[in-house]
Amino acid sequence: MPSQLVSELKDRYGVEIHYHKASEESYMALEVMKFPSGYYHEIIEAAVKQLDTMLCYFSKVLVLRLDLRLKSYSPNNNVISQFSSRMLQKIKKTYGKVAYIWVREQDKADQQHYVSAQLNPHTNINATYA
């Protein structure tokens, strides 16, 4: 069941179906928000490939999304590269295999922001509840 925010965004922008070729015989259909500026098919494909790769190794994968906003404009991606490198080193020590993807977004704001997703083996993560 989608959250109220997701439902509102779908109502406002609509959705588009992105088809990912899973094998010679099958495709995976993904709902993608239909924003006025569109989206990059290559980024969606890269994210799905990362997920597919992790699912080849593990039966369950936990996807953790992080939204990172900068205080001011940066002409390059050094900030996210350094952040990802340090974070992944720590995560790999604890959980082993991990995958990630990040994208830089900047629509009308003066500064860009990044959306990052970590894909962790779900079986290696201890529950925090009893």
Side-chain angles (χ1 to χ4, degrees):
M1 179 115 193
S3 71
Q4 183 178 352
L5 175 62
V6 170
S7 296
E8 288 173 9
L9 287 170
K10 282 183 176 183
D11 290 344
R12 185 184 312 159
Y13 296 109
V15 294
E16 188 172 314
I17 304 298
H18 175 85
Y19 293 98
H20 169 73
K21 188 173 185 178
S23 69
E24 290 299 320
E25 299 85 27
S26 64
Y27 285 83
M28 183 187 320
L30 304 167
E31 272 190 358
V32 178
M33 290 287 183
K34 192 175 181 180
F35 292 107
S37 57
Y39 69 96
Y40 291 101
H41 294 268
E42 299 84 8
I43 294 172
I44 301 292
E45 286 297 317
V48 171
K49 284 180 185 177
Q50 288 282 36
L51 181 59
D52 283 347
T53 301
M54 288 297 284
L55 287 171
C56 286
Y57 291 99
F58 306 100
S59 61
K60 295 179 183 178
V61 175
L62 174 69
V63 179
L64 175 65
R65 177 185 162 150
L66 298 172
D67 290 296
L68 307 167
R69 303 192 188 287
L70 300 181
K71 290 183 179 180
S72 60
Y73 176 79
S74 172
N76 55 44
N77 298 315
N78 290 344
V79 172
I80 189 74
S81 296
Q82 291 172 357
F83 173 80
S84 296
S85 177
R86 289 180 189 149
M87 182 181 57
L88 290 173
Q89 286 175 353
K90 292 178 181 182
I91 292 172
K92 285 180 182 179
K93 285 180 185 176
T94 306
Y95 300 112
K97 193 170 223 30
V98 64
Y100 74 100
I101 184 168
W102 60 264
V103 294
R104 176 178 170 150
E105 294 181 344
Q106 183 176 1
D107 193 21
K108 295 178 181 169
D110 291 335
Q111 70 278 11
Q112 71 274 19
H113 74 274
Y114 296 93
V115 176
S116 173
Q118 298 170 11
L119 295 87
N120 303 296
H122 186 267
T123 54
N124 291 354
I125 297 174
N126 296 325
T128 58
Y129 55 88

